Amino acid sequence: MPDPDRSQQVDALLNALPEELPPPRVRVKLRMAAGLTQQDVADAVGVKRVAVTRWELGQTSPRRPHRENYLRLLRGLAERFPDAAKADEGMPTPASERGSG
């Protein structure tokens, strides 16, 4: 019989893990489907526009508390624009399109 205390500890660890962001290309598609600029997103999330640019290129990932706010925005946009939320199968991400040098 499983130990309920252990089960609660495991559940707490799972709930503490950050939810995965959509791929960078999908982030761009969602923003553009909503007619938002990178500056709009930056202002809403509380970062500089360059941070959103880097997130959309896959160069960096947002950290707390910005990650939670950005993820919430992306989830809401995905609900409103489900076609934009679909990842393009086999399409390279913006970061990989630049090449290695």
Side-chain angles (χ1 to χ4, degrees), residues 4-100:
D5 288 337
R6 298 271 183 221
S7 295
Q8 288 176 345
Q9 288 176 337
V10 168
D11 289 343
L13 286 175
L14 289 174
N15 290 333
L17 291 174
E19 193 170 334
E20 193 167 324
L21 292 166
R25 179 176 296 285
V26 173
R27 299 173 204 174
V28 174
K29 287 173 53 178
L30 288 169
R31 177 180 56 76
M32 293 181 74
L36 299 173
T37 65
Q38 289 180 334
Q39 189 63 56
D40 294 332
V41 173
D43 291 344
V45 175
V47 296
K48 295 184 182 211
R49 185 196 55 77
V50 70
V52 176
T53 300
R54 289 178 179 150
W55 298 343
E56 290 184 354
L57 290 172
Q59 294 175 342
T60 62
S61 293
R63 296 186 189 166
R64 289 185 199 163
H66 305 114
R67 181 181 181 89
E68 288 85 4
N69 291 329
Y70 187 50
L71 186 56
R72 184 172 165 223
L73 174 65
L74 293 174
R75 274 195 225 119
L77 294 176
E79 287 177 15
R80 291 186 183 190
F81 306 99
D83 288 340
K86 297 176 187 170
D88 295 330
E89 296 287 326
M91 293 294 294
T93 62
S96 67
E97 288 175 356
R98 290 191 318 271
S100 60

